[in-house]
Amino acid sequence: MKKHEILSLQHSEKKDWLIRNVSDYKVKAFYGNLIGYIINVSDYHMEEYLNYPESYDTGSIIKKEYPELSTIREEEINSGASLTKQEIEILKSAIIELRAGEAYEGMNFTVCNFACDDGEVFVIFSGIFEGPGDVDWSFDNIFATKAEAVKSVSQDRLEADEYFFPI
């Protein structure tokens, strides 16, 4: 098939094309170009830090992100004091950074190029790391260029409280 024909297919038809034409596409996805990952900070994550500040050293986490926080306020938060709106936003930012630094967090994305009759197409795969070298990559979509593929992950799909970390 030609590039424009592949790109004009419905999503399920694109996946069928890939399966028919690239028998080892999941292996190729594993060795593809890792482009980044999306981290989300859910209500659950926030509640953990807010409900158990002594376990998570919530005040200290905020102070690390916002050095202007006084040591007295840091200790108050670590002891269970309520947070201001500003402190909650700073905590959220800190949690994002903490989660982004942890191994195997978030939804990971890789891009691979595959030949077609008149050139190549770029396929995005997504998956969650389940341990070293263990990802069950899933077909995401097909694009005309690598730039379009990367843009589809970094801009088009983010929901509230999701953040893209390019690699």
Side-chain angles (χ1 to χ4, degrees):
M1 287 182 82
K2 295 189 179 204
K3 188 174 191 170
H4 77 278
E5 294 172 323
I6 295 167
L7 296 171
S8 66
L9 295 172
Q10 296 295 319
H11 186 268
S12 63
E13 294 170 322
K14 289 178 182 178
K15 183 176 180 180
D16 291 342
W17 173 85
L18 181 66
I19 291 168
R20 279 192 319 273
N21 290 282
V22 186
S23 62
D24 63 343
Y25 72 91
K26 285 199 175 198
V27 172
K28 291 186 182 204
F30 182 79
Y31 291 106
N33 294 319
L34 198 57
I35 57 173
Y37 53 101
I38 292 175
I39 297 289
N40 124 324
V41 176
S42 68
D43 290 341
Y44 168 79
H45 293 105
M46 289 297 292
E47 288 172 9
E48 286 292 301
Y49 285 85
L50 295 172
N51 292 337
Y52 307 103
E54 65 285 346
S55 297
Y56 288 97
D57 290 326
T58 301
S60 301
I61 290 170
I62 293 170
K63 185 166 180 64
K64 184 175 180 184
E65 185 84 8
Y66 183 69
E68 293 84 2
L69 188 73
S70 73
T71 303
I72 293 170
R73 181 65 181 146
E74 172 188 4
E75 291 171 7
E76 290 172 350
I77 294 170
N78 283 340
S79 296
S82 296
L83 274 62
T84 65
K85 286 183 180 186
Q86 180 187 20
E87 290 166 345
I88 288 172
E89 288 304 311
I90 294 167
L91 175 61
K92 185 178 188 180
S93 177
I95 293 171
I96 292 164
E97 291 300 321
L98 287 169
R99 293 199 66 222
E102 293 175 6
Y104 315 119
E105 282 291 331
M107 180 64 69
N108 296 269
F109 295 87
T110 187
V111 63
C112 301
N113 56 315
F114 294 102
C116 57
D117 291 345
D118 61 346
E120 62 185 2
V121 292
F122 296 83
V123 180
I124 291 284
F125 297 95
S126 60
I128 295 176
F129 281 103
E130 298 172 0
D134 189 15
V135 180
D136 184 18
W137 293 108
S138 298
F139 169 78
D140 201 72
N141 210 343
I142 298 177
F143 298 89
T145 67
K146 183 176 180 179
E148 288 175 9
V150 171
K151 181 182 175 199
S152 79
V153 174
S154 61
Q155 295 176 357
D156 297 348
R157 74 174 58 230
L158 294 179
E159 296 181 17
D161 298 324
E162 287 187 332
Y163 305 85
F164 179 70
F165 290 86
I167 293 177

